[in-house]
């Protein structure tokens, strides 16, 4: 029985030794895995830091672009409002010119004789002006013809007429 006791003590000691060897191997393997995992985590952290910096720069650029776009949209809104105001001003001017031209085209009856006389005076003044101009040109051409022998051309006198609308 003593032998049995010694054999069982030897088996127990051997079992403990085997367990210790397996625990040692498992711990060694775990240590290698943990070291590998630690290196992987460090590489991931390094890459994430780079990505984080790039993301921050990208976000900053995006914010600047958004601010610039907002400023330009506000400027465009102001330009659109100015264009609308310009359109209204142009429309008002057109109406004013149309009204003025209507008043000039159809003067009141008491002003018609005065307008006809003013038209006749203007026509007479224009005829005199163009006749003097034609005479001056003829004299210049005559002088040029005498010096170079070139033919002369006369200027035409436009006729101005006044038509009243009744």
């Amino acid at each position: 029985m003593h032998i049995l006791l010694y054999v069982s003590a030897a088996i127990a000691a051997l079992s403990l030794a085997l367990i210790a060897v397996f625990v040692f191997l498992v711990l060694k393997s775990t240590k290698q895995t943990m070291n590998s995992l630690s290196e992987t985590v460090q590489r991931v952290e390094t890459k994430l830091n780079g990505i984080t910096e790039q993301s921050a720069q990208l976000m900053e650029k995006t914010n600047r672009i958004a601010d610039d776009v907002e400023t330009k949209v506000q400027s465009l809104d102001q330009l659109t409002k100015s264009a609308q105001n310009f359109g209204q001003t142009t429309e008002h001017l057109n109406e004013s010119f149309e009204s003025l031209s209507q008043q000039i085209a159809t003067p009141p009856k008491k002003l018609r004789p005065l307008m006809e006389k003013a038209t006749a005076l203007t026509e007479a003044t224009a005829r005199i002006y163009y006749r003097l101009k034609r005479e001056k040109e003829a004299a210049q051409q005559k002088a040029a013809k005498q010096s170079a022998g070139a033919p002369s051309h006369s200027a035409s006198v436009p006729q101005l007429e006044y038509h009243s609308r009744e």
Side-chain angles (χ1 to χ4, degrees):
M1 201 130 130
H2 281 293
I3 288 194
L4 205 47
L5 197 61
Y6 288 121
V7 171
S8 43
I11 291 176
L14 186 61
S15 297
L16 283 175
L18 282 175
I19 289 175
V21 168
F22 283 121
V23 167
F24 175 76
L25 292 176
V26 167
L27 287 176
K28 187 176 180 183
S29 174
T30 303
K31 182 179 179 185
Q32 290 174 350
T33 303
M34 290 301 285
N35 286 340
S36 175
L37 183 62
S38 176
E39 290 173 9
T40 303
V41 167
Q42 285 177 348
R43 284 191 306 243
V44 168
E45 282 180 351
T46 303
K47 289 181 181 181
L48 281 177
N49 286 338
I51 291 171
T52 303
E53 288 175 15
Q54 290 175 355
S55 295
Q57 291 172 356
L58 182 61
M59 187 61 105
E60 192 175 307
K61 286 180 184 179
T62 302
N63 288 338
R64 281 194 309 250
I65 290 170
D67 290 343
D68 187 43
V69 166
E70 185 176 338
T71 303
K72 288 179 181 177
V73 165
Q74 289 174 355
S75 297
L76 186 60
D77 285 344
Q78 291 172 355
L79 180 65
T80 303
K81 288 177 184 175
S82 296
Q84 288 173 346
N85 291 340
F86 181 74
Q88 291 170 351
T89 302
T90 304
E91 186 177 320
H92 181 67
L93 282 173
N94 285 341
E95 291 172 359
S96 297
F97 284 134
E98 187 175 319
S99 172
L100 184 61
S101 67
Q102 189 68 22
Q103 289 174 0
I104 292 172
T106 57
K109 287 187 180 187
K110 66 180 180 180
L111 294 180
R112 284 186 189 158
L114 179 63
M115 294 291 283
E116 289 172 1
K117 288 178 185 177
T119 302
L121 182 61
T122 304
E123 286 178 5
T125 305
R127 284 186 191 139
I128 292 169
Y129 171 76
Y130 284 114
R131 183 172 29 140
L132 292 174
K133 184 177 177 182
R134 185 176 61 228
E135 287 174 4
K136 182 180 176 183
E137 288 175 358
Q140 287 175 348
Q141 289 176 357
K142 185 176 180 183
K145 185 177 181 183
Q146 287 176 354
S147 63
S152 65
H153 298 290
S154 63
S156 63
V157 177
Q159 299 292 319
L160 300 175
E161 295 182 22
Y162 173 75
H163 298 285
S164 64
R165 295 184 188 170
E166 294 184 22

